[in-house]
Amino acid sequence: MKKYIIFSIIALVACFTPSCNKLLELEYDGRSSLDELFKTRNGVRGYLNSCYDSRIFPDINRSALTDEAQSSERVFQGTLPSFWYVDAFSAANYSNVDGQPWGGIYQSIRKCNIFLKRIEGVSAADLASLEDEITSWKAQAHTLRALYYLQLIKRYGAVPLITESYEIDHDFGQDSRAPVSAVVNQILADCDAAMSAPEAALGFSWTVRVGENFIMNRAVVQAIRSEAALYAASPLFADGTYSWNQAAEVTGSALSNLLTNGYELWDEVPGDGVAQNTYDFYFITQHDEQRARDKETIYGGPNVNIWGSHGMPSTPGQQSAGASPTQELVDAYEMQATGLPPITGYADPQHLQPIINTASGYDPENPYEGRDPRFYATVYFNGAKRELGASTGLARDDHYPLNMTLSGNNISITEEDGGFRIETLGGDPFAPTTTLGTDINASSGSILLKFKYKSNRDITNAQFFFQAPGAAGGQSTPENVVLNKSDEWIDFELDLTPYRSESWWKWGAADHSLRFDVGPDAGSIVYVKDMEINVRVDLTPADPVQSYVGGKDAISTTDRRATHTGYYLRKYNNWRSGRDNNADGEIRMFRLAEMYLNFAEAAYQSTGNPDAAINIGNGMSMSARDAVNAIRRRVNMPDLPAGLSKDEFEKRYRNERRVELAYEGHRYFDVRRWQIMENVERYVTGMRITKQSDESFTYERIGFARESYKEKLYLYPIPQGEINKMQSHTGTNWQNPGWN
Amino acid sequence: MVLLFLWVGVLHAQVSGTVKDENGSILQGVIVASSNGKNVAATDKDGNYELELDDGSTHLAFSFRGYVSQTHEVTDGVLDVNMKRAETYDLDEKVHFGNYTQRKTLVTDATYSVTGEELRRSPVGNLSMSLAGRIPGLFTRETYSEPARTNTELYVRGSSSPNGGTAMIVIDGFPYDYNANQLFEYITANEVETINVLKDASAQALYGIHGANGVIVITTKRGVKQPLKIDAEINHTFEQRTTTPPHISSADFVRLRNQAGYNDGNGRYSYFSQVAEEGFVAGEDRSFFPDNNWRAMSARDITQMSRVNVNLTGGGDKAVFYTNVNVLRQDGMWKVDPTTTDYNPNNNFLWANIRSNVDVNLNKYLSIGVNLSGNIKRERTPGGNAVSLTYGGSWDGFAKRIWYRFFTLPPYNYGPTTPLVQDPETGDISGGEVVVTETEPITSWAVINRLGYDQYTVTNIYAQFAPKLDLSFVTPGLSLSGSYGYQTNAVKGLFANRTYEEWVRTKDYSELEFEKIRTQVNTPLQYRSSTSFYYNLNYKGVLNYHRRFKDVHDVTAMAYSFYQHLNKAGGGLPYKRVNSGVSVGYGFDDRYLVKFDLGYSGSEQYSSENRFTAFPAVSAGWVASNESFLKENPVLTYLKLRGSWGKAGNDRGIGRYVYLDNVTLTGGGFGFLGGHNVNEGQVANPLLDPEIITKKNLGIDLSLLNNLTLTVDMYNERTENGVTSAISRTPDYQGVPLVNYPRTNVGVYENKGYEVALDFTRDINRNLTVSLGGWFAHNKNQIIFWDESERAEDFAYRIRQEGYPLGQQWGYMVDDHNGNGYFNSQEEINNSGLVYEIGTPRPGYLKYYDLNADGKINDKDKVPLGKGALPNFFYAFHGGFKYKSFDLNFLFQGIADYWTIDMSNSRVEYSFEGMYSEWHKTAWTPERYANGEDITYPALSAQKNSNHEASNFFLEDKSYLRLKNLEMGYTFKAYNGIRVYLSGQNLFTWDKLDHDIYGPEGHYDGGIEGIPVYRLYNVGLSIKF
């Protein structure tokens, strides 16, 4: 007995030790391993999908770091411009519009490396996939890796070149930064590897299949080749490895490959009231993945919100004037009639004294007349017409979303299926919506109540009431509204316009809501979603832009919502955009116009003669001037004249590139690779316009001095933490010039 | 079975008697216990007790808090006892270790106990607040000060590992480190028998992997055999901020903002026109030029808390019980505008705690203990959830998010609402809309009055079932107990929220016009709710043995095993832990003591090879005063030397299952490629071990003249296998995110210090008793090795972690060779030849030392500032007296040698639309400098600039001394005592700050944005029946 008890106690106290280990074992929680993932079709595709994570899209705010724009955000603490313009940066606290993308890009490069290594030796049969699919996946990974390295060198210059993922015991002491040319070698090799994949239906194609928007394809490869070769030959990066000849060959073949595979400049003429011109139209239109309409875009980008983040304070809901165009950008637009630049330079370093080219036809008293059509598409200037189209028949749809409240009479409401599930429980079931809000302007146009619904039975006696909160009764819209039985969502629309003049119409009074009477019976189950009031507002043409002192959108130096330069950004902005209706356009990563310009630059640099045609493959030949003129013709600008010297042409070319690609994220990198940043970014100017008593305007250039023109800003600093680590691993300082 | 009955029949006694003090006064509540511990009774109001002994004990122990314990041989029949007040250590005091108890004289570990009776003197809502200054070596820091919702961090002997943190809490034998701080809300001082803090390895080793951060053992009260005894207590507390930031007038604000704009080169009247500035400065027409003190408008200066506590205890031979009911009501801190809400959004709390501990003797050998405690907290706060719903971001606190908006909303703003306007034709009244600013859509007034409210109901249930088997039939002194316990905590959030229209005043100050901005509309309340839930399941078995042979050989032994299954709130796999341990102690003649502990614990964090770790510890003690040469020494009445060596562990501060790769196939990513995506998380290190911290402790306890006691402890803690992350050496470009990069066990870390505690107690005469005492503790930690990358040679300090304490701060040194540390002219800047890479300085900016003499001011010039994250020095002194029916007790508490850099929004002037405080009023201007006036701040700017870098300019000495607690009481001789008392908490503070804008503690959100520490005044009444 005693022994037994002691024994059992010892057994108990000595724990369940043998089983303890098991007790603490991880229960299966869905973890997998790369070995397992690369045995399945979904695993492989999932891994490739994760390789896409770090693509950096262009950002409008980058313009404010160049002579394209001066940001009103500088008055606001903690914003990038507030740091940037005063040069409050060191390698330890640096960040750009894309933050510090160093680590992020390398994470995706590692994934590409792992993908390319592991996909070798995986057979199509094992994955239940076609051979063409697998080669397409490999090609995508090569393209992504090329893109990542391109994005790295543009920012950091020489970087470590890693094409096989590191083991955990990797010796970092062996590592070094590979010169830009070596990285470009790798980029071009990856591009060649991608292009070697067959162009089959499920392979690596020129076109994008349905549902595969933003997938890597052969056209993107051409764009990467073009930019990489151009950058490698540019003064900032050239080390003798890549000549302009090679750059011309690569950019030329990229261009001809694109042209022979269906890429062409957008030339759709906008309808009345849509946009000002073809160029304007392009930037307020989103690319379509099938390229049925937009044959210019090679790789798209994010939709932007110009009206709110870079908009005018007179637009309700606008938050910031954002990156306002500078006078320097405005000066860059040529005169349309003569095709000549209005301003040839500045007599002072502060850019306050323009050198006017009288031959161009430029009139300093009417500075915004007769300019390149792209000017009107890019800049809102004082006196610019905001709203386009005819003076009558204009309308805007304002959307006022409504929700159900979760309480009602004899009714149970739950949130379900992205909307609300309404179940009637007995007599007189009804449910109020959230309040309508005083915003609703019922004074003009038509008013529709819209929602989608599903119902478990036909309901023939639904009703809508207007009521104050808690109040019974209210007034009804037409009785016996019919909701049909349906398992699918049905669009419901009720025209409320006739009731607008009724005395019980209380819209605009605070707290009134709409009451939804579902019908008298229990047992009806109605699902409702996307409920809104749609008010069509008749528009009268608004005043033109008033950026003069004292105007509606007046210039300021301390207000975040007002321009600091006297101009507002128009590119990408659809004049219809406003609160609840962002119709602004898209900023592309790659488009065909850039490919023309890349080639033009490489061509005149290599031949020294802008008129010399060179063979660009696919049976085509083209001169630098031809390429630039292709861009100019689209916007009805006169051709550049033949016979320009290399230097003259360079000036016109750089201006053309600046104008065509304004606000697309290129200027920042261009002034750096041309090594002219220190000259152009120290002073930028704006135009302070004063209205005189006789309604005329006087123009005064105002300057902004910046500290952010210094040599160190040619390249991003490598993060200070990384520098410290590599100093101790390699004994060398990896930092870019000027950042130590 | 026959054997057992025979065995038990041997010793069986019936004892009764009366206990009085040395003056002949009756003592109620004296615990009378058999030496084997099974039979226990307490004296009733007449001092009588009655006890039936059936556990074979030969002695009876009499103990009463504050009196010297006595042991008497059992004699059948009457045993009357006179007890003497304790003026020195009570050597028979029971010290609770969580799994076992030990007589104090036999303890060889470093521990310190405080009783619930002492803690009760602090009239605070949260038990953790009462610990400040009560325990040598326990560092308390109030990190959040909303009345009754205060959070206090508790560190035992500072920080023993960079991955460690605050101490683990053990409640009635079960350890908790999840939401440990919150558990203090569920216990009141009235329920606490003792809180014992385990400080060295010999006390912590049994807790193995969870012990290293220190263990706080809370033991709740239990019933003893006695007639029903009722204690009731009512408290009413007035709460008042210890500091209140002074109001900055709109005149000052506007003036300073324009001054900043002027300094930035935007002209004299860049933010406010001349008309506006003059209007605000003149202050004649407040409807056009308001001066709003938002804090005074919406925050009450006094808030109130009331508490009711009833204790019931009693029992007979079969069963004893202890029941406590505590109800706390905390009133709101805000002034609610009754015209704008038809509900009450004010924050207020109602907490009810019920605890019931019952012990039932089923038969001679088997007894069952049941602990049941339930807590209901109902807490309400204005519009918290609405803020996150409407404006995004997180709402991470109740009152603090309202409080800081008092200061971020400028005083010149109109408000709180637009004026009401009546339409002369329709009679409709409009207006009354919330006035915000263009950049800040939320105002404190609007949060209180226009966003609705959140209500949280927390139900916390803590149940424990503990059968105990007396195994004296196997061998005397042996017992086996098992415990099963669970804690469940469920939070139901009910959010009644609404939104409001946002209006701003137009910039033209000559008119009073407003415009609506953004898209918010006024809505009625809408309800939403949330649920959050967590639970702990605990299983424990303990085998205890204690026997004294021949009255000289004292043997104790204990073995236990413990399993915990914790499901944290918010999903994820449950956390499981297994602990077990053995402790064996031997004492010879109460002179030579030795104890061996072995903890053996497992953590699921590690691979099966490394999963279990053993934590040995040994300790020894020598009670020199029991040696013949010191026995009966009239001066040195007690002397014990103690020493311990051992290991404790830590498994915190790392991700879960660090030995496994975490790769999962999920949906998401882009639509193409089948909609599949792969997440790569942590990269495994299968070799990772728990941190093992080797701790050494040397201690001495001595007592002089039976009045004065002294305890000194010195300790050293060293971690040789600290878990370090890859962040310090692994570059990012290798491609694995550093948070996922495998961690390694290479860190070396040291923590050392000492504690000295001195106490004096003396009964002067039968009417007057006096006590006085104090302690100080010094603690210093240091990172010895952290796999840190050495910076380039041109850094002034190439190493910034190794050799420094945890949380060492770095920044620039202001060069004040020119007398004031500012560049006083452009010329001075030019002559300095310095290139600032942190923003170009202007006249009036701080001049920093170019320590590496490279002509540039940048990261390389930074120096260590302050002395780490925790204070190095803590101290307290306390005392009191009792004269007849009057008693008084006080406690002072302080810290020293502690600095922090305060660059909170209110300290730097550019935050939000400008935030100004007293020190900005006398910022550098050329005029002030020329006139030789006092300058307290660099030239103002509306932009972040080179002044706004961590530097010794912003370093503040956060040392303080506080009259933490004072209590005065008078006892009437009615019933069994009616006591009325007054008490206070945080009554006076002395600090070294050069301003009164905020205090030295309790604003760890930064500056005036954190809610100040509260001062409490309490009136209480207690009645014993």
Side-chain angles (χ1 to χ4, degrees), chain A residues 2 5-6 9 12-13 15-17 20-27 29-34 37 40 42-43 45-50 52-53 55 74-77 82-83 86-90 92-93 102-103 106-107 110-111 114 137 140 160 162 166-168 172 175 211-215 317 404-406 415 434-435 437-439 469 510-511 557-561 579-580 707 710 712 720 722 724-729 734 738-740, chain B residues 266 270-271 438-439 471 473-475 480 501 507 515-519 521-524 526-528 541-543 559-563 573-574 576-578 580 600 602-604 608 611-612 656-657 659-665 668-678 680 682-683 726-738 741-742 789-793 795 836-840 856 858-860 910-912 942-944 949:
Chain A
K2 208 164 155 179
I5 290 173
I6 292 172
I9 289 164
L12 192 116
V13 173
C15 169
F16 10 112
T17 304
C20 272
N21 218 342
K22 213 170 172 184
L23 197 67
L24 296 177
E25 205 59 67
L26 170 65
E27 292 173 50
D29 69 343
R31 270 165 215 255
S32 186
S33 66
L34 292 183
L37 287 174
T40 67
N42 288 344
R45 292 196 296 176
Y47 200 85
L48 178 57
N49 205 334
S50 75
Y52 275 79
D53 285 349
R55 293 158 302 154
R74 77 188 174 101
V75 304
F76 208 58
Q77 254 336 294
S82 74
F83 286 87
V86 298
D87 186 31
F89 274 128
S90 68
N93 67 0
W102 173 268
Y106 271 111
Q107 285 170 26
R110 174 178 167 275
K111 287 176 194 246
I114 287 176
W137 299 338
Q140 288 176 48
I162 306 170
Y166 284 174
E167 299 297 327
I168 287 304
F172 296 107
D175 290 357
E212 296 192 341
N213 202 1
F214 286 110
I215 202 165
M404 303 304 297
T405 57
L406 295 183
E415 289 184 57
T434 50
T435 48
T438 52
D439 251 18
D511 287 1
T557 52
T558 53
D559 189 348
R560 177 189 187 211
R561 292 178 62 193
R579 190 152 65 193
D580 305 320
E707 299 291 331
K710 295 169 189 160
K712 66 177 185 180
Q720 184 64 43
E722 204 84 338
N724 295 342
K725 292 167 189 170
M726 296 324 293
Q727 174 82 37
S728 90
H729 283 299
W734 278 29
W739 287 107
N740 280 307
Chain B
N266 293 328
S270 52
Y271 289 96
E438 265 170 20
T439 51
L471 294 174
F473 54 80
V474 177
T475 179
L480 173 68
E501 288 183 8
K507 286 211 155 62
E515 61 173 336
K516 180 173 186 276
I517 60 165
R518 289 181 284 265
T519 56
V521 295
N522 289 324
T523 60
Q526 279 197 71
Y527 283 89
R528 285 167 208 271
V542 186
L543 189 63
Y560 89 107
S561 65
F562 172 76
Y563 172 65
L573 292 170
K576 299 171 196 166
R577 52 171 54 161
V578 171
S580 57
Y600 188 65
S603 170
E604 59 189 350
S608 59
R611 189 160 292 157
F612 281 85
R656 298 204 70 185
Y657 307 111
Y659 64 96
L660 292 173
D661 279 328
N662 190 1
V663 180
T664 52
L665 181 62
F670 294 91
F672 49 82
L673 296 165
H676 297 282
N677 204 354
V678 170
E680 286 180 279
Q682 178 173 267
V683 178
I727 287 167
S728 51
R729 279 187 84 79
T730 310
D732 276 306
Y733 70 81
Q734 46 71 33
V736 177
L738 292 182
Y741 208 83
S789 289
E790 194 176 25
R791 288 161 178 75
E793 283 170 9
F795 274 75
Y836 272 51
E837 295 198 335
I838 50 176
T840 307
K856 300 175 189 168
N858 57 23
D859 190 46
K860 296 171 182 178
Y910 64 86
S911 320
F912 299 93
Q943 313 281 331
K944 185 179 190 306
E949 297 283 334

Side-chain angles (χ1 to χ4, degrees), chain B residues 754-829:
Chain B
Y754 58 84
E755 293 139 12
V756 177
L758 194 64
D759 279 282
F760 171 82
T761 307
R762 182 79 199 266
D763 286 344
I764 307 292
N765 56 44
R766 66 176 290 171
N767 289 329
L768 180 65
T769 305
V770 177
S771 68
L772 206 59
W775 59 264
F776 57 93
H778 176 77
N779 174 262
K780 193 168 161 54
N781 62 55
Q782 193 185 21
I783 296 171
I784 310 283
F785 179 73
W786 214 243
D787 202 12
E788 187 182 1
S789 289
E790 194 176 25
R791 288 161 178 75
E793 283 170 9
D794 57 348
F795 274 75
Y797 288 81
R798 299 181 67 186
I799 293 290
R800 290 191 182 173
Q801 282 184 298
E802 292 167 4
Y804 294 97
L806 205 62
Q808 176 66 54
Q809 294 182 285
W810 293 82
Y812 297 101
M813 277 291 285
V814 174
D815 177 355
D816 54 6
H817 273 99
N818 64 356
N820 70 354
Y822 302 100
F823 286 117
N824 292 304
S825 64
Q826 185 60 44
E827 210 179 356
E828 193 176 343
I829 299 176

Side-chain angles (χ1 to χ4, degrees), chain B residues 455-501:
Chain B
Q455 183 162 294
Y456 295 92
T457 305
V458 183
T459 53
N460 184 71
I461 292 174
Y462 177 92
Q464 203 174 332
F465 172 77
K468 184 175 177 187
L469 186 61
D470 180 359
L471 294 174
S472 55
F473 54 80
V474 177
T475 179
L478 187 67
S479 69
L480 173 68
S481 57
S483 314
Y484 166 72
Y486 65 85
Q487 181 214 358
T488 65
N489 186 294
V491 184
K492 182 73 182 172
L494 181 66
F495 312 123
N497 296 144
R498 56 178 187 162
T499 58
Y500 55 86
E501 288 183 8

Side-chain angles (χ1 to χ4, degrees), chain B residues 555-574:
Chain B
V555 178
T556 52
M558 190 281 306
Y560 89 107
S561 65
F562 172 76
Y563 172 65
Q564 186 173 57
H565 176 109
L566 163 67
N567 224 323
K568 293 188 181 179
L573 292 170

Side-chain angles (χ1 to χ4, degrees), chain A residues 206-215 217 263 286-294 297-298 300 586, chain B residues 672:
Chain A
W206 287 97
T207 55
V208 176
R209 288 178 294 269
V210 177
E212 296 192 341
N213 202 1
F214 286 110
I215 202 165
N217 57 40
Y263 284 80
Q286 279 179 45
H287 81 276
D288 52 319
E289 59 183 65
Q290 306 299 301
R291 297 178 45 254
R293 185 175 169 207
D294 173 7
T297 302
I298 297 167
E586 177 183 357
Chain B
F672 49 82

